[in-house]
Amino acid sequence: MSMAVLVCTGASMLAAAAAFILDIVGRKQRSGPATAFSVASIAALTLSIGLRTLLLGRFPLTSGADFLQLFCWLILAIHVFLRMKKSGDEGYSLPIVVLLQLVLFVFMPEQLTQKQALPLALMSPLLGVHVFTAALAYAFFAVAAGMAAVLILRKEAGKRKAIIRLVKVGFACLTFTIILGAVWAEEAWGSYWSWDPKETWALITWLIYAILLHRSDAYSEKKLCALVAAGFCASVFTLFGVSFLLPGLHSYAK
Amino acid sequence: MTLKKLLRHLLSMRFTAALLGLDALLLIAGTFLGSQTPFAPLMFWSLLLCLALCMSRQVFALLRVKGRISPYRFGVLVFHMGIALVMIGAMINERQGYKRAVWLSETEPIDAIAEGMDVGAERIELEGIEMDYDESGALTRCDILLRAGAQRTTVHASSPGRLTDVKIYYGEQTNAYALAISEGDAREERIAYDGDILTLADGEMELYRFLPYYQPEDNRAFDLLGGSEHVLYLWGEQGTNREQPGIVPVGGTASPREGVSVEFTRRIPYVSLIFKYDPGLPVTGLGGAMLAIGALLFLFRKGNEKK
């Protein structure tokens, strides 16, 4: 059942991305199909997350696949919200969502059917808030990266402020994630900060976006986009690279 | 370069961004080279310098603003002050606090954790360990009950306990095993721990704990013993007989070699705990709260930004 939902999700995301590519290739700007397929993807992802919740008896947040589903859901929700507000998101974040879904399909499909007991250290009400704010922060960064691509590839002006605003919201969310993580680490491991690779890379991501926010008025559009891209790469490495390449206290989050 | 120019350069956003970039690069290098690198102090001081510069600039900016102070500008200042307080709290902990890992068994109370540690000048005793498992055998609850004089506290895996100012964290729960080893006429009482290698008079023998919930594929052996939770897994002499380990329940006896018998008399619960005194906690907590408030105020538009 969950596999069928996963296939539907992937198909609707692919359709959304295809509609978006047709959008940018074609001369006429028709955002309707891409947005409609994005909404369909959100519905399919909601169903998939709901099924996982029923299977586990709690909101699914601990495995890599669970996080990816939530991450994709949030990117799509931000994309649709900005589309509705006509705040300039052209949908360049849709290919990112398709890539993330592909990672889920290829590397971790079995995780969606597994029923794992929660490790003792994770049995805390802070789990939900910490993971959710992290996913939200990275989702804002992903949409900002998509917009930066628009700025570079299509040389469209007027996106600068929107990108900075997205980064600002993402930065605030990431700050909350780090603070909540520190409070939780103190409760569970007896230390606010252990220089664990996941913590360190979250801090690196935070520092990159801090540079951007400190110099946002002074940087040219190219420099701004380069920093947004660097920040997003650091986010992706924090999410996936660290879990596989640099084992540490967060190793259960594969 | 005149002093004024130098000051202007030091207080510039460009210099701050360069310091932040340096910190990010040092951290990236640190994650691949290991944490014990000479980069750590450099990173700490550059971040501190960066904060000092940012805060002084923000104070100047606030003083210069005419009329109403925008929430954004105020938020930026509160945010930077929050980071500074978190770092000050960490420095207080580093200098005045302590953190010790301690092993404690049900049979061996401890008098003092470490020099200067005050938990009411009482002996700390492990009163018991309560554990629950789900159907799949996974540990779902582990409560460690501690006593120091009239004070009692419970330490959970996800929430610490407290005795006076000392916070106590869950480390690890394991077991020790009381054994009576007989070789010929000689009988010896021994305490062994998980993974210990028991050395007999003329050779070695490995001792393992066997808990069925950690090795569900070995359930057959568990069933044979009538569901006893704690059994010893005794291997024969190293390099031999590994395929046929002796499985001994509490009160049982095994003979890993001719003329040798090992009686498993009782299990002794053992826990590792972390005792921590954290005098910088109020400062760190205040810093964290200011960081959060500052981050919220970030979401306001800049004072000079047109809506």
Side-chain angles (χ1 to χ4, degrees):
Chain A
M1 177 67 178
S2 56
M3 220 46 198
V5 176
L6 192 64
V7 171
C8 289
T9 315
S12 53
M13 280 179 188
L14 214 57
F20 153 75
I21 290 165
L22 286 176
D23 246 15
I24 54 169
V25 172
R27 287 189 176 180
K28 281 187 183 177
Q29 294 284 308
R30 288 177 302 135
S31 59
T35 310
F37 281 121
S38 299
V39 173
S41 306
I42 291 177
L45 269 175
T46 309
L47 185 63
S48 178
I49 294 171
L51 283 172
R52 280 286 288 162
T53 308
L54 284 177
L55 177 75
L56 297 174
R58 57 180 164 80
F59 196 76
L61 290 168
T62 43
S63 72
D66 293 334
F67 186 88
L68 261 183
Q69 293 218 101
L70 177 66
F71 186 34
C72 289
W73 192 97
L74 287 167
I75 295 175
L76 288 167
I78 295 168
H79 162 69
V80 171
F81 176 76
L82 292 178
R83 267 297 208 209
M84 283 163 63
K85 278 195 80 184
K86 295 190 173 131
S87 295
D89 182 24
E90 301 290 332
Y92 274 69
S93 49
L94 291 177
I96 298 173
V97 177
V98 174
L99 270 176
L100 291 173
Q101 200 68 9
L102 200 68
V103 169
L104 201 154
F105 260 124
V106 175
F107 296 108
M108 40 185 107
E110 74 290 342
Q111 284 189 13
L112 287 176
T113 48
Q114 278 172 357
K115 190 183 174 184
Q116 294 158 320
L118 208 57
L120 285 182
L122 297 188
M123 287 181 187
S124 163
L126 286 171
L127 167 71
V129 198
H130 175 65
V131 177
F132 185 80
T133 49
L136 194 61
Y138 295 132
F140 275 111
F141 294 148
V143 179
M147 274 200 194
V150 181
L151 199 66
I152 289 291
L153 296 175
R154 295 176 75 173
K155 296 189 174 56
E156 278 186 28
K159 297 253 182 278
R160 191 189 175 93
K161 271 188 183 172
I163 290 172
I164 293 169
R165 205 162 295 149
L166 280 170
V167 168
K168 220 189 269 182
V169 181
F171 185 78
C173 291
L174 186 59
T175 307
F176 280 116
T177 306
I178 293 173
I179 295 171
L180 288 168
V183 171
W184 188 15
E186 213 270 333
E187 288 291 295
W189 299 325
S191 175
Y192 305 104
W193 196 265
S194 319
W195 295 109
D196 172 61
K198 198 78 146 185
E199 291 172 352
T200 311
W201 271 90
L203 183 61
I204 291 166
T205 310
W206 189 87
L207 284 170
I208 292 172
Y209 285 111
I211 296 171
L212 188 147
L213 292 178
H214 277 87
R215 299 275 290 156
S216 61
D217 295 337
Y219 283 151
S220 66
E221 289 193 337
K222 264 191 182 171
K223 269 191 184 171
L224 187 87
C225 293
L227 263 179
V228 172
F232 184 62
C233 289
S235 310
V236 172
F237 190 78
T238 309
L239 288 178
F240 306 110
V242 170
S243 302
F244 292 98
L245 297 175
L246 300 164
L249 293 166
H250 285 78
S251 290
Y252 42 74
K254 278 189 180 178
Chain B
M1 191 187 276
T2 61
L3 189 65
K4 200 175 173 184
K5 268 188 179 172
L6 180 71
L7 264 177
R8 191 179 295 164
H9 179 70
L10 285 175
L11 286 171
S12 69
M13 283 286 195
R14 184 190 292 238
F15 187 64
T16 303
L19 284 174
L20 288 170
L22 175 71
D23 273 341
L25 288 174
L26 291 174
L27 282 174
I28 292 170
T31 53
F32 290 102
L33 298 175
S35 57
Q36 300 303 319
T37 57
F39 297 147
L42 184 58
M43 199 203 86
F44 181 84
W45 289 112
S46 66
L47 200 60
L48 208 64
L49 179 62
C50 185
L51 271 172
L53 295 174
C54 278
M55 275 165 56
S56 49
R57 192 171 42 237
Q58 287 304 320
V59 171
F60 286 135
L62 276 179
L63 290 175
R64 263 195 247 151
V65 169
K66 287 175 187 168
R68 201 168 64 92
I69 296 171
S70 77
Y72 177 85
R73 278 180 185 280
F74 187 65
V76 170
L77 180 64
V78 170
F79 189 83
H80 286 88
M81 283 171 70
I83 303 176
L85 283 179
V86 167
M87 291 177 84
I88 291 168
M91 282 198 318
I92 294 172
N93 284 342
E94 190 70 29
R95 285 172 192 271
Q96 292 179 8
Y98 53 75
K99 189 175 171 184
R100 299 280 186 281
V102 170
W103 282 94
L104 191 60
S105 85
E106 275 187 1
T107 52
E108 296 168 38
I110 42 173
D111 292 323
I113 312 300
E115 203 178 322
M117 253 175 143
D118 180 19
V119 285
E122 298 281 357
R123 305 178 91 190
I124 301 164
E125 288 175 47
L126 174 64
E127 285 204 317
I129 303 169
E130 292 173 2
M131 291 185 284
D132 285 338
Y133 299 89
D134 66 9
E135 322 84 64
S136 67
L139 194 60
T140 55
R141 183 175 75 98
C142 182
D143 294 349
I144 295 158
L145 314 172
L146 296 174
R147 190 159 70 89
Q151 286 188 77
R152 279 193 162 83
T153 190
T154 305
V155 178
H156 308 276
S158 54
S159 63
R162 188 182 277 275
L163 289 172
T164 61
D165 283 342
V166 180
K167 251 181 162 181
I168 305 160
Y169 297 86
Y170 174 89
E172 194 186 339
Q173 189 275 320
T174 185
N175 296 297
Y177 308 96
L179 305 172
I181 301 170
S182 306
E183 285 184 87
D185 295 336
R187 188 179 158 86
E188 189 190 351
E189 300 282 334
R190 280 222 214 148
I191 303 278
Y193 302 88
D194 279 340
D196 263 7
I197 296 176
L198 286 180
T199 312
L200 301 178
D202 59 346
E204 283 185 340
M205 185 175 67
E206 279 185 48
L207 168 73
Y208 288 100
R209 172 180 55 170
F210 173 67
L211 288 176
Y213 10 83
Y214 290 142
Q215 295 178 319
E217 69 273 18
D218 280 353
N219 264 345
R220 193 178 54 83
F222 177 56
D223 292 341
L224 284 174
L225 289 158
S228 167
E229 276 192 1
H230 295 281
V231 291
L232 282 184
Y233 212 18
L234 283 168
W235 298 94
E237 210 169 348
Q238 276 193 330
T240 63
N241 203 20
R242 279 180 174 270
E243 291 74 31
Q244 304 236 321
I247 298 167
V248 193
V250 179
T253 306
S255 184
R257 187 188 309 158
E258 215 176 297
V260 177
S261 73
V262 177
E263 188 189 350
F264 176 18
T265 51
R266 68 196 163 92
R267 178 182 66 89
I268 306 166
Y270 247 86
V271 285
S272 85
L273 298 166
I274 298 159
F275 286 69
K276 192 181 168 201
Y277 173 55
D278 213 357
L281 183 67
V283 182
T284 316
L286 179 66
M290 286 173 77
L291 260 172
I293 293 166
L296 270 179
L297 293 172
F298 268 173
L299 304 179
F300 284 89
R301 283 160 200 262
K302 276 187 186 178
N304 56 0
E305 195 179 312
K306 284 179 187 172
K307 293 189 182 179

